[in-house]
Structure formats: structure tokens, C-alpha cells
Amino acid sequence: MNNSVSNTARLLWAGLRALLVLTVVTGVVYPLVVTGITQAAFHSKANGSEVKADGKVVGSSLIGQSYNLPLKKGQETPAADLQWFQGRPANGLGSNSINTKYTLILSGATNLAADNKVLIQQVKDAKAAVVKDNSVPGYTVTPAQVPADAVTSSGSGLDPDISPVYAELQVHRVAAKNNLSVDQVEKLVKDHTDGRTLGFIGEPRVNVLELNIALKELIKGS
């Protein structure tokens, strides 16, 4: 009887020691080592790929954000601030409406089929808005010029990038709104156009946040 109690106590103590050791190793030492390595080798990515402007974090290069005017009384959907380059539409989960606020609580694509009448109408309305917003004196946008990413969201609904075609489509409007020359804004777009990853993966793209930060600096210096 005494041997049985003694063996049980010994096994319990051994199990407790193993639990304590594993807790320290896997719950404290390992996370600290991994955190240290990521901070040293991948500091920017480990911290969410933060983008800074004027010494402050203004967003992430991985997440799109909206550039809208403040909501007016009684207004439900904010109007785009046409002084800035605009990103892709963002879809709000749980509804068929476009989430122009880029709310980060949920993300995802609409579950509407390509032949759904609601989706088709949304795309038509978005195309008409792109044509209207980007047509300025001396430069008229046609529906045929509007690329797909200007009227559709990405799979996440929070895509931070747009195609160079869509960025170039906005050049004349951005130049007119900010009293800049078209050449200045076109150069800005070219300087912030990234090619395919490793030369063959994905498509050329323009990060809207980084482009607008550069635009802000250009406006300050003009």
C-alpha cells in the first residue's frame, strides 16, 4: 500500500515537473525566441507592414483604406474625395452593398453570382461613377477605358493595390484637383508601379496608400 502511494506521488511529481518545464519552454522561451528572430530579420512584416508618413503610422501596405469626404447629415454612403487616388471597391460581408468604408471587422467577397442582377447593376453604377469622376475638362473617360479592378472588389475586399491602368485613368483628375501637371502625376504613378513578383508571379500593381503619401508630398512641394 505504501509503495503504491509512493509510486503515485512520484509519478504525479514527475508529471508536474514535465508540465512546468514544457510550459516555460513552449509558453515563454519559444515565443520569445521566435519574436526576437522575426523582429530582427523581418521587422516590418512582423509588425504588420506598417506605412509611416510624417513620423506617424498611417496604415498597412497590406490593407486598403478609403479616401472619402466626411459624411454629411442624413448621408449614408460617403462620397469619394477626388483629390486622392481611389482604390478598389470593398464588399461588406452579410450584405450585397459595397462597403466603401473599408471596415476591417469582416472581409471577404460577395457571394453573388456573375449573372446576378444586383451585382450587374452595382458594376454598371460603379463604372458610370468612374467615368463621371475621372472626366475633366480636356480629358473624357469612356466606359471602355474602365478596368475591372475599378468596379469589382478583390477576394478579401481589402485589396491595397490597383492596376497601373486604373491608376493612370485617375491621373488627369488628380492633377486637376491638386493644380498639378499631368506629367508630374504620371511620373508619380510610374515611380510607384511595382512589377510582377520575381518577374513572373502576379500582375503589375500600384499601392494606393503609398501613392497617396507621395502625392501629398508632391502637393506640399508645389
Side-chain angles (χ1 to χ4, degrees):
M1 183 67 178
N2 290 335
N3 287 337
S4 177
V5 172
S6 177
N7 287 337
T8 300
R10 181 173 59 80
L11 290 173
L12 288 173
W13 175 235
L16 180 60
R17 283 183 295 173
L19 175 63
L20 292 173
V21 170
L22 289 173
T23 298
V24 172
V25 172
T26 62
V28 180
V29 177
Y30 177 74
L32 288 176
V33 170
V34 171
T35 300
I37 292 173
T38 55
Q39 287 295 323
F42 311 101
H43 180 74
S44 176
K45 292 182 179 179
N47 289 319
S49 300
E50 296 174 339
V51 177
K52 293 184 177 180
D54 298 325
K56 298 179 181 179
V57 176
V58 294
S60 169
S61 62
L62 303 176
I63 301 174
Q65 55 182 272
S66 59
Y67 296 89
N68 296 325
L69 296 170
L71 278 172
K72 296 180 180 179
K73 187 176 181 180
Q75 186 181 14
E76 294 183 1
T77 303
D81 187 346
L82 300 180
Q83 177 185 8
W84 308 103
F85 284 94
Q86 298 293 314
R88 298 183 67 170
N91 284 322
L93 290 182
S95 71
N96 295 328
S97 62
I98 292 179
N99 172 17
T100 56
K101 296 181 181 179
Y102 269 89
T103 302
L104 302 183
I105 297 176
L106 294 173
S107 69
T110 175
N111 60 355
L112 299 178
D115 60 351
N116 184 279
K117 292 181 180 179
V118 174
L119 179 61
I120 292 173
Q121 190 59 50
Q122 285 182 354
V123 171
K124 287 182 178 179
D125 292 343
K127 180 176 284 191
V130 170
V131 170
K132 178 183 177 182
D133 290 344
N134 291 282
S135 294
V136 296
Y139 179 79
T140 301
V141 176
T142 65
Q145 290 178 270
V146 181
D149 61 306
V151 296
T152 58
S153 69
S154 62
S156 69
L158 300 172
D159 194 345
D161 304 318
I162 57 175
S163 65
V165 174
Y166 185 28
E168 290 167 5
L169 184 72
Q170 302 181 60
V171 164
H172 287 77
R173 183 253 298 163
V174 170
K177 292 290 183 179
N178 294 288
N179 296 316
L180 298 170
S181 70
V182 171
D183 289 342
Q184 284 178 300
V185 182
E186 280 184 340
K187 183 178 185 304
L188 208 62
V189 170
K190 290 179 181 178
D191 291 344
H192 288 81
T193 298
D194 296 320
R196 292 178 173 86
T197 304
L198 300 179
F200 66 95
I201 300 175
E203 296 293 332
R205 59 201 179 278
V206 180
N207 187 283
V208 180
L209 174 58
E210 294 175 354
L211 179 61
N212 278 333
I213 290 174
L215 174 61
K216 185 177 181 181
E217 292 301 314
L218 181 61
I219 294 170
K220 285 182 179 179
S222 63

